Amino acid sequence: MFFTPQDRLFVLTGAGSSAESGLATFRGSGGLWNGHSVEQVATPEAWEADPELVWRFYSMRRRDALAAEPNAAHLALAQIECDLTGADPENFYLCTQNVDDLHERGGSQRVHHMHGSLFQSRCVRCNKPFTDQSFYETAAALPTCATCGSPVRPHIVWFGEIPLDMEGIYRELNRATALLVVGTSGSVYPAAGLVDVANRRGIRTVYVGPEEPLNARSFDEILLGTATAVLPTLA
Ligand code: OAD
Ligand code: ZN
């Protein structure tokens, strides 16, 4: 076993872990949407300027995620969680930057979506997230809050916004014995800085992906290969 039942494992995943389920990564080829970079549709400024464009983007991502299935990497992470949590369910924590629900559908239990969830929306004023699988693709269809009438937005953390529950993330990392990072380019902070927090504590850090991330030098071990090729070998 790559990790032992004595480990308390913190896993960070990025778009690469869903790539083999057919969901495009952000910065690779195909990482554009109708000629728009992700920054042009995933910022508070984009929302202010053109909520219809933003909702069309997230409606398309909902369609893609609904059509996708968990892959062998998602299943392997669920297996690792199962193997490590016999004694204590808190011995495993999966922090994902992904907004799809493939980790949950792959069987993972303790999942935190630091960049929000594709299948939740929230009123810009009431701010309470709710489950939402609808598509909003025309100006006339844009959703409004049943309580206060304000616009409803995707429950997604956009560029310039603060990721969800950073306190919980640091608490988990501060008691982990190992950090496993899968399929993320290491270019978006604070996620990309979690490996530095782990290094300050001297815990083992492992990266899995087909190419080195930008912060490759911060890792103890780099296992080069796709998520579905490598993760099943760690389970
Ligand atoms: P990126 O698109 O920046 O990086 C994807 C990473 O996945 C790259 O390092 C690829 O090498 C790797 N990769 C590609 N195919 C893979 C495979 N089959 N197995 C494993 N790895 C593979 O995506 P993220 O790092 O996740 O934020 O991007 C971080 C954040 O930027 C996202 O959460 C999103 C985006 O803007 C928000 O939406 C707020
Ligand atoms: Zn409201």
Side-chain angles (χ1 to χ4, degrees), residues 103-151:
H103 284 305
E104 287 88 343
R105 286 203 269 139
S108 289
Q109 303 288 322
R110 237 171 138 236
V111 183
H112 172 58
H113 287 270
M114 70 181 293
H115 289 166
S117 300
L118 198 48
F119 296 109
Q120 291 192 319
S121 303
R122 68 173 198 265
C123 164
V124 298
R125 197 157 148 208
C126 305
N127 262 320
K128 194 168 173 303
F130 59 91
T131 302
D132 185 4
Q133 296 203 339
S134 303
F135 310 118
Y136 307 111
E137 293 170 312
T138 62
L142 292 189
T144 51
C145 176
T147 308
C148 78
S150 299

Side-chain angles (χ1 to χ4, degrees), residues 26 33 37-44 46-47 50-66 99-100 115-121 132-137 152-159 161:
F26 294 99
W33 177 69
S37 70
V38 68
E39 288 82 359
Q40 285 176 298
V41 284
T43 60
W47 171 254
D50 195 345
E52 184 190 341
L53 179 77
V54 172
W55 263 124
R56 274 197 284 128
F57 173 67
Y58 285 102
S59 297
M60 177 210 67
R61 292 189 60 193
R62 282 182 178 179
R63 278 185 206 284
D64 290 348
L66 282 169
V99 296
D100 64 59
H115 289 166
S117 300
L118 198 48
F119 296 109
Q120 291 192 319
S121 303
D132 185 4
Q133 296 203 339
S134 303
F135 310 118
Y136 307 111
E137 293 170 312
V152 166
R153 61 168 274 180
H155 185 47
I156 301 280
V157 176
W158 288 326
F159 285 94
E161 297 182 327

Side-chain angles (χ1 to χ4, degrees), residues 12-28 61 69-74 77 96-100 102-103 181-186 207-211 213 225-231:
L12 172 69
T13 63
S17 59
S18 293
E20 290 163 279
S21 292
L23 301 180
T25 61
F26 294 99
R27 290 171 184 79
R61 292 189 60 193
E69 296 295 336
N71 63 48
H74 298 108
L77 287 172
T96 184
Q97 297 168 83
N98 300 342
V99 296
D100 64 59
L102 295 178
H103 284 305
V181 177
V182 183
T184 174
S185 55
Y207 180 82
V208 172
E211 60 192 2
T226 69
T228 68
V230 176
L231 286 182

